Amino acid sequence: MTDHALASVDPKIAKQILLEEERQHRTLRLIPSENYAFPAVMEACGSVLNNKYSEGYAGKRYYEGQQHIDVVEKLACQRLKKLFGVDHANVQPYSGSPANLAVYFAFLKPGDTVMGLGLPSGGHLTHGWGVSITGAYFNAVQYGVRESDHRIDFDEVAKLAKEHKPKLIFCGTTAYARTVEFDRFAEIARDVGAILAADIAHISGLVAGGAHPTPVGHADIITSTTHKTFRGPRGGMIMCTKEHKKAIDRAVFPGLQGGPHNGTTAGIAIAARLASKPEFRTYAANVVSNAKHLADELMSQGITLVTGGTDNHLVLCDLRSCNVPGKVAAQALDRAGIVCNYNSVPFDTRKPFDPSGIRIGTPALTTRGMGKSEMVQLARWMNEVIRAPDDVGVTDRIRGEVEALCDSFPVPR
Ligand code: DSN
C-alpha cells in the first residue's frame, strides 16, 4: 500500500484542515447543532467503507461483496432499535433533510397537506417552510408559538389540524428552548387521522440519554440527524413502528437515494453503542444543566431569553433590549472566540439574514468537559461583548481568555 499523506498530495486542503482543527480547539463552540463526534466515529468515517457501493438493504443488495457492510448496517439498526426502543430503524438517509423528504415521499402526494412549526417560531425548513421543496410541492400549513410566552400554541395546532386535515404533522424544532410535548401532538394527530413525525435532530442525544422525553409511543415516525447531541457522523436516520417499515424503507431507497454512505453507517453504529453507556446519560444530563447555568447567568447579566430560559441544550437570546442586532453580536462574539449563530426570534421584525437574536447551545462545550463555572464565565464574556461589539480592546482581551480556557479543555481526539 502506498501512503500518500494528505499534506503532500494536496497541501492547500491539508492546511485548511489543520487550521480548522486549530479553530475548533481554540474557540468556544456554541452552535447548538454542532458537536465533536466521538473519535471512533471519525475513524470509521475515514475508513475503507467509503469505497463500497451497497444499494439496497442488508441481505438484498444490488452489488456483490457485501459480507462486511451487511454486518455493519445490521448492527447500526439493531443498536438504534434497542437504544430508542423502536420497532424499525433505517440508517441510510444522507442527513436530516433527506430523512424528512423520505417521510413526505412515503406518505404524501404533491399537493397533500402537511403541518409543521414555522421557521420563525423555531421549526425547520423541511417542515413545510415556503422556500423549501416541502413548502413548494405540498400544501403546507404552519403553526407557531404564542405571542405571550413564545411556547408552542397547542390550541392553534389543534384548530389548524381540524380545519386543514393534514395527512402529516411534523413536530420538532431547531430553535426552541423548551420540551417538545410529543403526547400533545400525538393526541391532535390521532384526532385528525394524521401521521405524526417527530424530528428529533437537535435532541436525539438527549432522548437517548434520558434528558428529554422520548417520542416513542407517541410519534409514528421519528427522524433525526446523527451528528448533533448524538455525537455521531454527519448523517440521518428514521425510526418507525412496524406498520410503516416498508413505506419508509422504500421511500429512502429506491425512492430518494442511491447507495448509502457506509462509513457513516458504521459511525452511526458506533455512536449508538456509545450512547447506550451510562457515561452518555451523564453527558446528556450535563448538556441540559450547562444550558440552564448559561441561561441563568445571561439573564442575571440582563440579557433577555426567548421563553425566559431553557429545558434543553439550547438558549435563544433576544438582543432587542441590548440594542444590538443578532448578526453584529454574533460577529463580535466570533472575533472574541465565541462561535454562535444569529437567529430570528419569534415575531421578529428584522429579516432572517439580519435578525434580532443569537442561538447558542451547550452540546460541544459539554463534550469538552466544561461545567457550571465555565458557563458562568462564558455568559459574562458574552455579555461584555454584546454590550460593546465594536470595542476591539474587549474582544481581543476576551479572545485571549477564551484561548486559555480552551487549552484546559482539549477537544476529544
Ligand atoms: N442546520 C441545522 C441547525 O443548525 O439547526 C438544522 O438543519
Side-chain angles (χ1 to χ4, degrees), residues 19 31 51 98 145 187 248 267 269 293 302 330 401:
L19 289 173
I31 295 175
N51 302 339
V145 292
E187 198 182 318
I248 287 296
H293 294 313
E401 291 168 354

Side-chain angles (χ1 to χ4, degrees), residues 275-295:
S276 68
K277 307 246 180 228
E279 304 88 274
F280 195 81
R281 291 188 83 77
T282 307
Y283 167 71
N286 288 346
V287 168
V288 175
S289 63
N290 276 343
K292 286 182 192 290
H293 294 313
L294 185 57

Side-chain angles (χ1 to χ4, degrees), residues 33 124 174 202 228 359:
S33 47
H124 188 252
T174 65
H202 267 251
K228 297 187 172 99
R359 188 183 69 149

Side-chain angles (χ1 to χ4, degrees), residues 31-34 95-97 123-126 173-175 199 201-202 225 227-228 234 313-314 341 343 359:
I31 295 175
S33 47
E34 292 184 3
S95 199
S97 296
H124 188 252
L125 285 166
T126 56
T173 64
T174 65
D199 178 344
H202 267 251
T225 49
H227 47 270
K228 297 187 172 99
R234 300 298 291 222
H313 63 302
L314 177 150
N341 67 283
N343 212 94
R359 188 183 69 149

Side-chain angles (χ1 to χ4, degrees), residues 44-54 63 65 69 260-263:
C45 289
S47 73
V48 293
L49 300 184
N50 180 72
N51 302 339
K52 185 75 192 105
Y53 249 114
S54 309
Y63 296 75
I69 301 300
H261 295 173
N262 297 316

Side-chain angles (χ1 to χ4, degrees), residues 50-351:
N50 180 72
N51 302 339
K52 185 75 192 105
Y53 249 114
S54 309
E55 282 179 12
Y57 290 101
K60 279 171 78 179
R61 305 278 190 188
Y62 291 81
Y63 296 75
E64 294 311 316
Q66 307 295 345
Q67 294 83 348
H68 310 295
I69 301 300
D70 276 5
V71 175
V72 168
E73 191 168 324
K74 279 188 196 162
L75 274 173
C77 296
Q78 281 161 7
R79 288 175 183 173
L80 286 180
K81 279 162 61 175
K82 186 152 177 235
L83 179 65
F84 287 95
V86 290
D87 294 342
H88 179 63
N90 184 311
V91 292
Q92 295 196 4
Y94 297 141
S95 199
S97 296
N100 286 347
L101 281 186
V103 178
Y104 285 85
F105 195 53
F107 301 110
L108 269 57
K109 296 266 177 276
D112 282 348
T113 301
V114 60
M115 264 177 63
L117 180 64
L119 196 64
S121 295
H124 188 252
L125 285 166
T126 56
H127 299 176
W129 192 241
V131 296
S132 149
I133 187 170
T134 62
Y137 284 22
F138 300 94
N139 175 37
V141 176
Q142 304 273 269
Y143 55 87
V145 292
R146 272 189 301 264
E147 200 152 5
S148 56
D149 61 2
H150 298 153
R151 305 225 178 190
I152 290 172
D153 184 347
F154 281 98
D155 292 337
E156 187 197 23
V157 180
K159 187 168 154 275
L160 289 172
K162 282 207 174 77
E163 188 182 332
H164 295 280
K165 302 260 178 306
K167 275 197 175 163
L168 174 66
I169 299 179
F170 262 101
C171 60
T173 64
T174 65
Y176 187 68
R178 295 297 173 181
T179 299
V180 180
E181 294 169 86
F182 298 117
D183 50 346
R184 298 186 73 180
F185 278 108
E187 198 182 318
I188 293 169
R190 230 184 356 257
D191 280 352
V192 298
I195 298 268
L196 179 65
D199 178 344
I200 60 167
H202 267 251
I203 56 168
S204 52
L206 303 186
V207 171
H212 188 287
T214 178
V216 177
H218 303 298
D220 305 281
I221 312 291
I222 299 165
T223 63
S224 185
T225 49
T226 51
H227 47 270
K228 297 187 172 99
T229 46
F230 198 57
R231 295 195 59 201
R234 300 298 291 222
M237 59 189 180
I238 307 179
M239 299 176 281
C240 62
T241 53
K242 264 197 269 335
E243 66 176 306
H244 299 305
K245 170 183 188 307
K246 208 164 161 186
I248 287 296
D249 283 355
R250 268 197 198 149
V252 174
F253 175 84
L256 263 189
Q257 298 183 175
H261 295 173
N262 297 316
T264 299
T265 305
I268 295 172
I270 295 163
R273 179 175 155 81
L274 296 175
S276 68
K277 307 246 180 228
E279 304 88 274
F280 195 81
R281 291 188 83 77
T282 307
Y283 167 71
N286 288 346
V287 168
V288 175
S289 63
N290 276 343
K292 286 182 192 290
H293 294 313
L294 185 57
D296 287 348
E297 187 60 27
L298 284 168
M299 284 190 293
S300 66
Q301 299 289 321
I303 298 205
T304 305
L305 304 187
V306 174
T307 77
T310 182
D311 297 330
N312 57 26
H313 63 302
L314 177 150
V315 175
L316 190 57
C317 305
D318 181 344
L319 301 182
R320 284 178 288 197
S321 63
C322 304
N323 290 320
V324 181
K327 195 176 196 167
V328 172
Q331 288 171 343
L333 286 164
D334 191 47
R335 288 192 292 276
I338 298 168
V339 187
C340 66
N341 67 283
Y342 52 89
N343 212 94
S344 296
V345 295
F347 308 98
D348 209 331
T349 48
R350 300 178 70 95
K351 297 255 185 310

